[in-house]
Structure formats: structure tokens, C-alpha cells
């Protein structure tokens, strides 16, 4: 394979910049541009070493650098690899990259180092995908789930399922190859037990995506309430900064404000909608329409009611929107005189729900809201250390397909169809699962996956 090079650090000013090079000519190219302080034999490089020296161009020092050496096969790509640590910034890093290119390296495509790690068998596809997820992780839980996957948790689960399937396949093959032995009966029974187990395991993985989606994309929360109920104040209290404009004139939150925060390690996307009311004003009407829409699309509604005022027509509309949705009822402005009737009415409408009393202005009662979010989405039950959690839609779709194939195999088996038919379905399940680990995946898909990577990874 060719020798590739890329800048691995993010563009811009920084303390150090890293240029990474991988492939069989790595050290030969490096020799032309790197003058180590203490002489080294470029033909006999030792791995896991760092050397200090200069990048030189025609006896001119370009930069003072540290070069880390990784010797094949003990490197990220399994090839000879080096990382040049130069000073950060725009010029030097770019200049060193160009020097590597001039001396025969090729510019790496996004994700090409990881793609090589995959193609050279150092990691499977699900592990390579975990790398990109770690890079993009915004919260601790998201990064933990991806690291677990990089360590091979998903690969292991898939392998266990494939081993189960293999155990039936062996018997199926025997009964096909040696029909004179009457093994069909045994195979049908055994196949049924194993297939049921496979289905169970796959269903478990599929369900984990509900948690995975929350970990990765977060929970979308719509804040709804009539004008002046205190939506913007609550959003500010959550964000702990003045992001939304708080004002006493009704209907000022005309557009939708969306913010992301991390609560209990989970990304929370909060949408502060325009106050729900029958506005004559055109702009406001658009805003209200949007807030109805975002409330209907949200995973959770936080409905906020002004505890200092009687409920109104507008509040009724909000109560209507909340029906059949996961929601948290918040009674705001408890620092003022609270109208008992408001609380009674809310409790009557939602007898099973807890009404959380807060003062958004004084940031009082916030913990209770967070606790309720945690309870509703069972965030405290997420066990990232032990369980494989699917966070990738591609994996989830493959598992869904594999479940369908498993059901077909179970049906065929139940109907006592010839065992080779069952065998065909089992092969389909294995083929499907191979798309997660990368054994049976098209070049197109591989290309698509690695195209999402950053340069230099
Ligand atoms: P929104 O229209 O629902 O976004 O409401 P705002 O957050 O803009 O608040 C409307 C008014 O109510 C502002 O004057 C806030 O200062 C006030 N307000 C909000 N929350 C509280 C609270 O907990 N206590 C009191 N006393 N006033 C509040």
C-alpha cells in the first residue's frame, strides 16, 4: 500500500501540530526531511521510540520537532508509522506536510489511517466506527459507550451469536452431506433452541439502542407554556446563563431557541418555544405553529404554568398538547403567592403526575426537574461498563434485519421444512451480522463510513 500522510491535529493555532505518516516508505521519506540530534539508523528503526531533532530543507531549519516511531505491525495501521510533533499553527504544520508529499507520500483521505487499521485486520468495522464516535462524543456517557465498543464489546456479542449459528450450521451441513444418517430430527430440535436464543440476544441488542440513542443524540425537550409563564427564565436557569431574552412584554420569544446542555451525563436539547396563544400577529402565529410542532416531535415536554395567576384558555390548550406525551408539569413563581386552584386543577388533569414547584427566577427546584428527567428516561439504569449499548443507526438497522431473518428461520423450522431451507435462512442471518463487523459489507458502504472521518484519523 502507498505511504500516506496527513495533519492529524485540528487546523488553527495551537501548542503542537501532529503530522502522521504511514506505509512502507515512511522512514525513507522521513530520512530526507528529519535530522535527529543523535544519529539513528533509518534502516533499522525501533518502534515505540521518540526522537528529538529538526525538520530541515536544504540546510535550513523548518522546525524543531519530536518524532514518534511505530514499527509494523505494532502501530495504529499495522504499518510502519511515524508522528511528527511540530510547533502548532498554520505555516509549519502545512510546510512539513508538503515536504512529505514532495518526497513521495500521498495525501491521506479522511479516515484512511483507521481504514487501513480495519483492512489490515487490526480492528473490525464496528471498532473502527467506534473511533469516529469517540472523536464526536460530547458527553462522558457517549464517549464511554464508544470506548466500550472500541474495546470490542459489540464485536464479541456478534461473535457469540455467530458461533451459536455456526453450531447449527455444522449439523445442517452434516445432514445435507450425509442424508443416510438420520440426523434431521435432532437438528430441527437443536436449531429451534439455538435460534430462539439468537433471537433473544439480538432483541436485547436492539432494545439497547433506545438507550444508545439517548446517549448519543440526547433527549429533545420542548418547553411549553403560555406567554410570561417563565419559559425563558427556566431555560436560563438550566443553561445558567442569559441566553434567552427575558422580558415582561408578552409574546417576545417569537422564534424557537434551541440549546444543548448535559444533565447527568446525557445531552439535553431544549427547545424554548414561542408562547402558546391565539396571536393575531403574523410573526407570532408562525412561532406558535412551530412550537406546536416541536412539542409534538419532542421526547419530553416540560409544561410550565404560572402559579401566581389563574389558569386561562391558553393553559387549557397546553394541557391538551400534553395529553399522551411524556411530560413534566412545572408550577412556576412559587416565590409569589401561589393560586391553590391552579395546583388543584393540574393535579386533577394529571392525577398520576407529580407537580414540580419551582421559582425559575431564583433557580429554585431545578434539581427536582433533573431528577424527574433521570427517572422518566431511567438514566440511572444505564450500565455502560457491563452491557453493550448500540449507539449507531447502521448497527441497529442490521440487527433489525437479522431479527427478521431469525424469525423466518424459526418459522421454517417450526413448519418442519427441509433442514437445508433453515440452513439458508441461517446463512442470511450470518451474512447480515457480518455487515456490522465488516466481513460481508460492500466497498461502497466501507467508503461511506470512512468518508465521515476527519482528516488524519
Ligand atoms: P416566557 O414568556 O414564558 O418565556 O416568560 P419569561 O421567562 O420571559 O418570564 C416572564 C416574566 O415572569 C419575567 O418578568 C420574569 O422575570 C418573570 N418570572 C419568571 N419566573 C419567575 C419566578 O419564578 N418568579 C417570579 N416572581 N417571576 C418570574
Amino acid at each position: 500500500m502507498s505511504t500516506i500522510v496527513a495533519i492529524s491535529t485540528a487546523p488553527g493555532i495551537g501548542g503542537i501540530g501532529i503530522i502522521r505518516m504511514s506505509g512502507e516508505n515512511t522512514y525513507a521519506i522521513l530520512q530526507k526531511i528529519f535530522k535527529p540530534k543523535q544519529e539513528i539508523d533509518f534502516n533499522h528503526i525501533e518502534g515505540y521510540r521518540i526522537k528529538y531533532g529538526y525538520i530541515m530543507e536544504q540546510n535550513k531549519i523548518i522546525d524543531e520537532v519530536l518524532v514518534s516511531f511505530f514499527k509494523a505491525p505494532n502501530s495504529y495501521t499495522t504499518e510502519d508509522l511515524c508522528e511528527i510533533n511540530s510547533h502548532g499553527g498554520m505555516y509549519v504544520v502545512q510546510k512539513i506536510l508538503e515536504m512529505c508529499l514532495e518526497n513521495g507520500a500521498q495525501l491521506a483521505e479522511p479516515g484512511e489511517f483507521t481504514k487501513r487499521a480495519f483492512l489490515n485486520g487490526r480492528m473490525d468495522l464496528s471498532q473502527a466506527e467506534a473511533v469516529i464516535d469517540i472523536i464526536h462524543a460530547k458527553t462522558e456517557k457517549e464517549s464511554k459507550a464508544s470506548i466500550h465498543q472500541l474495546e470490542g464489546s459489540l464485536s464479541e456479542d456478534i461473535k457469540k451469536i455467530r458461533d451459536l449459528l455456526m453450531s447449527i450450521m455444522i449439523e445442517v451441513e452434516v445432514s445435507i452431506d450425509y442424508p443416510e444418517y438420520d440426523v434431521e430430527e435432532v437438528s430441527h430440535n437443536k436449531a429451534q433452541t439455538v435460534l430462539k436464543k439468537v433471537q433473544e440476544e439480538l432483541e436485547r441488542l436492539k432494545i439497547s439502542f433506545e438507550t444508545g440513542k439517548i446517549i448519543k443524540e440526547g433527549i429533545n425537550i420542548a418547553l411549553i407554556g403560555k406567554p410570561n409563564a417563565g419559559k425563558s427564565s427556566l431555560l436560563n436557569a438550566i443553561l445558567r446563563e442569559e441566553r434567552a431574552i427575558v422580558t415582561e412584554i408578552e409574546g417576545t420569544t417569537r422564534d424557537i431557541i434551541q440549546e444543548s446542555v448535559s444533565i447527568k451525563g446525557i445531552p439535553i436539547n431544549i427547545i424554548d418555544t414561542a408562547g402558546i396563544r391565539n396571536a393575531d400577529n403574523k410573526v407570532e402565529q408562525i412561532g406558535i405553529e412551530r412550537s406546536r410542532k416541536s412539542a409534538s416531535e419532542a421526547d419530553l415536554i416540560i409544561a410550565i404554568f404560572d402559579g401566581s395567576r389563574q389558569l386561562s384558555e391558553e393553559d387549557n390548550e397546553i394541557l391538551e398538547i400534553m395529553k399522551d406525551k411524556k411530560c413534566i408539569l412545572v408550577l412556576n413563581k412559587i416565590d409569589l403567592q401561589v393560586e391553590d386552584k391552579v395546583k388543584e386543577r393540574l393535579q386533577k388533569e394529571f392525577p398520576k403526575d407529580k407537580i414540580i414547584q419551582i421559582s425559575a427566577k431564583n433557580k429554585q427546584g431545578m434539581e427536582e426537574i433533573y431528577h424527574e428527567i433521570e427517572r422518566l428516561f431511567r438514566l440511572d439504569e444505564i450500565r455502560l461498563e457491563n452491557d453493550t449499548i448500540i449507539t449507531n443507526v447502521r448497527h441497529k438497522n442490521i440487527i433489525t434485519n437479522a431479527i427478521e431473518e431469525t424469525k423466518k428461520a424459526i418459522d421454517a423450522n417450526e413448519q418442519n421444512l427441509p433442514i437445508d431451507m433453515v440452513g439458508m435462512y441461517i446463512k442470511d442471518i450470518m451474512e447480515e451480522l457480518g455487515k456490522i463487523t465488516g466481513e460481508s459489507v460492500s466497498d461502497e458502504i466501507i467508503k461511506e463510513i470512512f468518508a465521515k472521518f476527519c482528516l488524519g484519523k
Side-chain angles (χ1 to χ4, degrees):
M1 270 194 235
S2 57
T3 299
I4 49 170
V5 65
I7 300 171
S8 284
T9 35
I13 307 291
I16 54 170
I18 299 177
I19 299 98
R20 185 189 248 178
M21 189 154 53
S22 172
E24 57 186 9
N25 293 329
T26 296
Y27 303 144
I29 295 170
L30 189 68
Q31 187 173 14
K32 293 183 188 157
I33 62 171
F34 177 54
K35 286 276 164 295
K37 228 6 213 266
Q38 280 177 352
E39 208 147 295
I40 53 173
D41 180 357
F42 280 91
N43 294 317
H44 297 96
I45 290 287
E46 280 180 274
Y48 303 135
R49 293 282 188 281
I50 296 177
K51 298 288 174 190
Y52 167 68
Y54 299 98
I55 296 292
M56 307 279 294
E57 191 180 48
Q58 289 155 4
N59 297 327
K60 263 192 0 231
I61 295 177
I62 301 295
D63 197 14
E64 183 186 27
V65 297
L66 285 173
V67 180
S68 347
F69 291 91
F70 302 88
K71 183 91 182 131
N74 300 318
S75 76
Y76 185 67
T77 55
T78 77
E79 303 167 339
D80 281 346
L81 185 147
C82 78
E83 286 178 6
I84 307 170
N85 290 236
S86 68
H87 287 101
M90 306 302 238
Y91 174 73
V92 170
V93 186
Q94 189 64 34
K95 175 71 188 167
I96 299 173
L97 173 78
E98 279 165 20
M99 288 169 71
C100 294
L101 294 172
E102 280 160 17
N103 285 289
Q106 282 177 20
L107 189 62
E109 285 171 19
E112 199 171 351
F113 293 94
T114 311
K115 189 176 176 179
R116 286 191 174 192
F118 161 63
L119 293 175
N120 295 334
R122 189 176 165 268
M123 52 174 77
D124 72 16
L125 196 55
S126 75
Q127 289 172 303
E129 286 173 295
V131 172
I132 186 168
D133 287 341
I134 294 169
I135 294 173
H136 288 276
K138 294 177 289 299
T139 63
E140 186 193 342
K141 282 204 167 63
E142 195 184 347
S143 125
K144 260 194 185 164
S146 307
I147 286 178
H148 204 40
Q149 189 176 316
L150 176 66
E151 283 174 349
S153 62
L154 178 58
S155 320
E156 265 170 41
D157 284 8
I158 298 293
K159 185 175 177 297
K160 271 186 209 145
I161 296 172
R162 285 173 64 119
D163 285 350
L164 281 174
L165 293 166
M166 258 330 268
S167 70
I168 330 173
M169 269 322 276
I170 292 166
E171 294 208 15
V172 170
E173 299 285 342
V174 170
S175 69
I176 294 169
D177 292 346
Y178 304 98
E180 63 275 20
Y181 297 115
D182 196 12
V183 288
E184 187 130 324
E185 187 68 20
V186 185
S187 301
H188 268 299
N189 284 339
K190 185 173 174 204
Q192 201 66 349
T193 317
V194 175
L195 285 168
K196 286 267 164 73
K197 172 91 182 129
V198 166
Q199 186 181 355
E200 206 177 284
E201 290 294 312
L202 290 171
E203 297 278 5
R204 184 179 59 79
L205 285 175
K206 187 179 170 188
I207 288 170
S208 79
F209 183 71
E210 284 172 24
T211 311
K213 189 168 175 284
I214 289 179
I215 290 175
K216 196 165 183 178
E217 291 166 24
I219 303 168
N220 295 321
I221 300 181
L223 274 183
I224 63 169
K226 70 179 170 191
N228 269 349
K231 295 176 295 300
S232 311
S233 307
L234 176 59
L235 180 68
N236 285 341
I238 293 174
L239 298 177
R240 294 185 189 89
E241 57 165 281
E242 304 288 305
R243 170 65 176 80
I245 314 150
V246 182
T247 145
E248 277 173 43
I249 311 158
E250 291 191 352
T252 42
T253 316
R254 291 209 172 123
D255 215 333
I256 286 177
I257 296 171
Q258 184 166 346
E259 285 289 354
S260 291
V261 284
S262 159
I263 295 177
K264 313 268 180 194
I266 297 290
I268 305 279
N269 313 311
I270 309 167
I271 303 154
D272 174 18
T273 62
I276 305 267
R277 63 169 196 170
N278 297 317
D280 301 330
N281 182 317
K282 199 107 198 243
V283 182
E284 232 175 76
Q285 256 171 5
I286 296 168
I288 289 165
E289 226 9 82
R290 276 200 216 154
S291 65
R292 280 203 183 107
K293 189 162 176 286
S294 59
S296 73
E297 287 169 358
D299 302 315
L300 172 72
I301 292 176
I302 296 185
I304 177 160
F305 299 91
D306 186 340
S308 69
R309 286 156 75 185
Q310 293 288 355
L311 289 184
S312 60
E313 253 316 294
E314 296 144 352
D315 288 311
N316 289 337
E317 175 128 15
I318 288 157
L319 292 171
E320 202 48 48
I321 290 178
M322 288 165 61
K323 293 255 154 74
D324 308 323
K325 288 288 296 185
K326 210 174 242 181
C327 59
I328 297 180
L329 287 150
V330 171
L331 191 65
N332 188 30
K333 309 197 186 180
I334 55 158
D335 53 302
L336 302 175
Q337 183 74 31
V338 173
E339 295 276 345
D340 284 341
K341 276 192 189 144
V342 177
K343 214 174 142 190
E344 276 166 29
R345 168 80 196 286
L346 291 178
Q347 201 67 80
K348 208 173 130 226
E349 292 282 341
F350 295 89
K352 286 198 211 114
D353 290 83
K354 188 175 158 197
I355 297 165
I356 297 177
Q357 305 195 42
I358 67 159
S359 165
K361 197 174 171 179
N362 300 337
K363 300 184 173 49
Q364 201 186 326
M366 306 303 297
E367 265 308 314
E368 251 189 284
I369 295 182
Y370 301 155
H371 195 260
E372 191 61 7
I373 296 174
E374 192 174 27
R375 193 186 67 80
L376 285 171
F377 291 90
R378 300 195 188 152
L379 303 183
D380 56 341
E381 287 173 23
I382 299 176
R383 298 273 172 273
L384 292 167
E385 291 76 16
N386 307 326
D387 301 337
T388 303
I389 291 172
I390 306 267
T391 55
N392 185 313
V393 185
R394 193 184 79 85
H395 299 165
K396 185 217 150 198
N397 291 341
I398 293 171
I399 285 166
T400 308
N401 293 342
I403 292 173
E404 287 314 307
E405 297 296 342
T406 312
K407 283 184 187 158
K408 280 187 203 160
I410 291 174
D411 280 352
N413 209 30
E414 244 162 29
Q415 291 165 26
N416 270 328
L417 294 182
I419 197 79
D420 49 341
M421 280 274 288
V422 180
M424 267 165 51
Y425 286 125
I426 293 173
K427 273 193 187 146
D428 287 345
I429 310 170
M430 301 230 274
E431 172 100 6
E432 202 59 48
L433 294 177
K435 291 180 188 165
I436 292 184
T437 43
E439 283 119 2
S440 49
V441 76
S442 70
D443 290 348
E444 279 306 297
I445 303 270
I446 291 177
K447 225 172 153 182
E448 214 175 281
I449 289 170
F450 287 100
K452 287 187 210 136
F453 271 67
C454 344
L455 268 170
K457 188 64 216 175

